[in-house]
Amino acid sequence: MNSFSTRFTVLMTALFGAMVAIAILQFPAGARFMPLIVGLPGLGLCLLQLGLDARHAMGRRNYRFRNAQKAGKPEDEGQKVESELEGATLHRELVMWGYFLGFIAGVLCFGFYAAVPVMLTLFLRLEADMRLIRAAVVAAIATLALYFAFGVVLQIRLHPGFFTPSLLQAAGLA
């Protein structure tokens, strides 16, 4: 058990608990929905994690993962492999940050309904090696699910982007 992880989980539990308490006690009935949609599952998952941490601390199960020495390999070569893996991990993390920041920029500039299919298609094509047609179909289905979940069912208007309304107006579509 990592004590930092447990402290962070306690902090998150307090934040989600405060969110739920404020939503129930102070918000009007129509405004409670979104904080409860986020707060209740978050609170439940944090409590579950605290329970698992307590169970591990009591000694019932103590999972500690350590790198095993490979048979027939000298120790210094294992360290070389670890340093190569760290470089590859750093590269993958930088690529994921690039996708994340690109998605945020796309949403801000062009809105959710334009950014989701483009970014999802790019990600699936370049990172998951999915064929372009299949990636585009999956991205279109995800965008439709996003539209129906937020636009139709919850009736929440997602950010249209800073440039999309002007572009649509210039093209005569809005």
Side-chain angles (χ1 to χ4, degrees):
M1 180 179 76
N2 188 350
S3 63
F4 173 76
S5 173
T6 303
R7 281 184 255 150
F8 184 72
T9 306
V10 168
L11 174 68
M12 293 302 297
T13 304
L15 290 174
F16 282 124
M19 179 190 302
V20 169
I22 289 170
I24 291 173
L25 298 175
Q26 295 182 355
F27 288 178
R32 285 186 201 143
F33 185 67
M34 282 307 286
L36 291 178
I37 285 287
V38 173
L40 289 176
L43 182 62
L45 289 173
C46 285
L47 291 173
L48 175 67
Q49 183 63 47
L50 285 175
L52 291 174
D53 287 349
R55 179 177 163 201
H56 291 302
M58 293 178 145
R60 290 185 186 170
R61 294 188 183 195
N62 191 7
Y63 293 112
R64 297 225 175 195
F65 296 103
R66 294 183 181 95
N67 291 335
Q69 184 84 15
K70 296 205 182 219
K73 301 274 184 178
E75 191 170 322
D76 59 329
E77 190 174 312
Q79 291 173 352
K80 180 183 171 188
V81 170
E82 283 183 18
S83 67
E84 289 175 4
L85 288 176
E86 287 174 4
T89 302
L90 177 64
H91 175 71
R92 299 278 308 155
E93 287 179 8
L94 290 175
V95 168
M96 288 300 122
W97 271 107
Y99 279 114
F100 177 70
L101 294 175
F103 178 68
I104 297 300
V107 167
L108 288 175
C109 291
F110 302 107
F112 277 95
Y113 298 127
V116 168
V118 171
M119 292 303 293
L120 193 54
T121 302
L122 280 174
F123 181 81
L124 291 175
R125 176 66 187 115
L126 299 175
E127 297 301 319
D129 292 328
M130 193 178 280
R131 291 181 314 158
L132 184 61
I133 299 296
R134 187 171 183 194
V137 167
V138 169
I141 291 171
T143 305
L144 286 173
L146 182 74
Y147 172 73
F148 282 114
F150 288 99
V152 175
V153 175
L154 297 175
Q155 296 181 352
I156 296 173
R157 185 173 174 256
L158 296 178
H159 180 62
F162 295 126
F163 302 123
T164 303
S166 299
L167 292 173
L168 289 175
Q169 192 174 30
L173 299 173

